């Protein structure tokens, strides 16, 4: 459990630092936007190239991937139905709500938990792949389409090309594809390219966490901006539905057992990623929804992961 606690402690301290810096007026809302844009356009794409590019392709394309994809698909579908049919959210907020329910904190929390609590950092790779190449590009393509309004009078053919090309205008989607190609081909980037990418990618997680801490200090109080019932439903999808689906698919659909089954279930039970807050800020959709869901899910996921580990170990 030391790996789990250490991962959460690291996140909490950096978020707390962002909160403190905002409270002391060292950083303000402008700094929050700068950190968010830096993470979205520069640091996160660099991180995706280095993380995916350095991952063993055999670990990526495994039975764990099928269970991870299934858990994401089922949870995301339920979240979309709730957001659109019950809560009457618009398209952009529906994407953010879906991310809140199904986008796992596989980077800054999943990597240390996989390494220290599960004993193998590569176990996080299937979930990373499911998110970075399926959930994230599809959601960001919708957000891009809603944000970039076509010029009046544009032809249907041109409009179709604009929509189809949306994922390739997104730096995170492009970087994820580049990383996957590097993994599949076994090509290693030369040191003069890999070293600066690794250095810049190291900014991604701290920038996200600092921006999130600033939002906690400068934004509306927790529970003041979004219906608590909706936050509760999204947290339940993230911490209950997604790991249960991952377990059922892993055990009965793809034949996982023992440590592999534990790993796919624990990883699905990780809280909502800070990336979701970055996306919400970038597209100005569901910012408070993302912030509050991340906060509550991160707090509750600690006992949830401990219980799962106890039951399946």
């Amino acid at each position: 459990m030391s790996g789990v606690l250490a991962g959460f402690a690291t996140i909490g301290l950096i978020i707390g630092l962002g909160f403190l810096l905002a409270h002391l007026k060292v950083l303000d809302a402008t700094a929050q936007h700068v950190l968010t844009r830096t993470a979205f356009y520069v640091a996160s794409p660099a991180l995706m190239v280095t993380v995916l590019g350095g991952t063993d392709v055999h670990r990526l394309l495994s039975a764990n991937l099928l269970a991870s994809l299934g858990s994401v698909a089922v949870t995301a579908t339920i979240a979309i139905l709730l957001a659109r049919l019950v809560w009457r959210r618009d398209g952009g907020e529906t994407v953010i709500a879906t991310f809140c329910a199904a986008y796992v904190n596989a980077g800054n929390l999943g990597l240390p938990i996989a390494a220290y609590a599960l004993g193998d950092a590569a176990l996080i790779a299937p979930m990373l792949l499911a998110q970075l190449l399926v959930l994230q590009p599809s959601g960001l393509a919708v957000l891009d389409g809603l944000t970039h309004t076509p010029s009046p009078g544009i032809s249907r053919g041109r409009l179709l090309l604009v929509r189809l090309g949306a994922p390739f205008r997104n730096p995170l989607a492009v970087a994820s594809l580049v990383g996957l190609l590097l993994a599949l081909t076994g090509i290693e980037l030369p040191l003069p390219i890999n070293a600066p990418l690794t250095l810049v990618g190291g900014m991604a997680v701290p920038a996200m966490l600092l921006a999130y801490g600033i939002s906690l200090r400068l934004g509306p109080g927790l529970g003041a901006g979004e219906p608590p019932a909706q936050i509760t439903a999204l947290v339940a999808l993230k911490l209950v539905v997604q790991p249960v689906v991952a377990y059922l698919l892993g055990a009965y659909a793809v034949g996982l057992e023992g440590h592999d089954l534990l790993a796919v279930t624990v990883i699905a039970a990780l809280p909502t990623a800070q990336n979701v807050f970055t996306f919400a800020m970038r597209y100005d959709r569901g910012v408070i929804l993302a912030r509050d869901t991340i906060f509550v899910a991160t707090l509750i996921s600690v006992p949830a992961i401990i219980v799962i580990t106890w039951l399946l170990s």
Side-chain angles (χ1 to χ4, degrees):
M1 285 297 103
S2 60
V4 176
L5 298 178
F8 280 104
T10 300
I11 286 178
L13 287 172
I14 300 177
I15 291 174
L17 177 61
F19 185 98
L20 177 62
L21 291 173
H23 181 73
L24 296 176
K25 302 187 186 306
V26 176
L27 299 178
D28 56 11
T30 300
Q32 180 185 355
H33 285 279
V34 170
L35 287 167
T36 300
R37 290 177 67 84
T38 301
F40 185 85
Y41 286 106
V42 182
S44 292
L47 183 65
M48 292 307 96
V49 171
T50 55
V51 169
L52 281 178
T55 301
D56 182 359
V57 69
H58 298 294
R59 280 300 181 88
L60 287 174
L61 306 177
S62 63
N64 292 43
L65 175 61
L66 297 177
S68 297
L69 280 171
S71 70
V72 168
V74 172
T75 309
T77 300
I78 296 173
I80 291 170
L81 293 175
L82 279 175
R84 292 294 285 173
L85 301 181
V86 180
W87 303 334
R88 302 296 181 183
R89 297 272 185 174
D90 63 26
E93 291 183 343
T94 296
V95 172
I96 297 301
T98 303
F99 281 163
C100 286
Y103 202 115
V104 165
N105 191 334
N108 53 310
L109 184 55
L111 282 172
I113 285 180
Y116 300 117
L118 300 175
D120 186 358
L123 289 169
I124 199 68
M127 182 60 80
L128 272 173
L129 187 66
Q131 295 184 163
L132 297 177
L133 297 180
V134 179
L135 180 62
Q136 176 181 290
S138 56
L140 295 185
V142 174
L143 289 171
D144 277 327
L146 293 171
T147 302
H148 299 99
T149 304
S151 302
I154 188 172
S155 66
R156 289 186 177 181
R158 182 70 180 276
L159 179 59
L160 179 61
L161 289 176
V162 170
R163 297 302 190 211
L164 291 176
F168 300 100
R169 295 194 301 270
N170 186 284
L172 287 171
V174 173
S176 299
L177 289 174
V178 171
L180 180 62
L181 287 174
L182 291 174
L184 291 173
T185 59
I187 296 174
E188 294 186 6
L189 293 174
L191 184 61
I193 296 177
N194 188 68
L197 280 176
T198 302
L199 188 62
V200 172
M203 294 193 303
V205 172
M208 293 176 200
L209 295 177
L210 286 172
Y212 182 72
I214 295 170
S215 173
L216 288 176
R217 176 62 184 87
L218 301 182
L222 289 170
E226 293 287 352
Q230 295 185 21
I231 302 295
T232 300
L234 292 174
V235 172
L237 285 173
K238 181 72 225 53
L239 301 183
V240 179
V241 174
Q242 190 167 11
V244 167
V245 172
Y247 173 83
L248 293 175
L249 290 175
Y252 300 107
V254 297
L256 294 177
E257 56 185 21
H259 190 69
D260 287 335
L261 183 58
L262 169 65
V264 78
T265 308
V266 166
I267 288 168
L270 290 169
T272 306
Q274 271 75 29
N275 305 51
V276 176
F277 178 75
T278 301
F279 302 151
M281 283 287 299
R282 163 65 183 84
Y283 293 99
D284 194 24
R285 295 287 203 284
V287 174
I288 304 304
L289 181 71
R291 188 202 66 177
D292 289 3
T293 304
I294 291 168
F295 184 84
V296 176
T298 301
L299 286 180
I300 299 178
S301 64
V302 180
I305 290 174
I306 291 174
V307 169
I308 289 172
T309 305
W310 176 71
L311 289 173
L312 298 183
S313 294

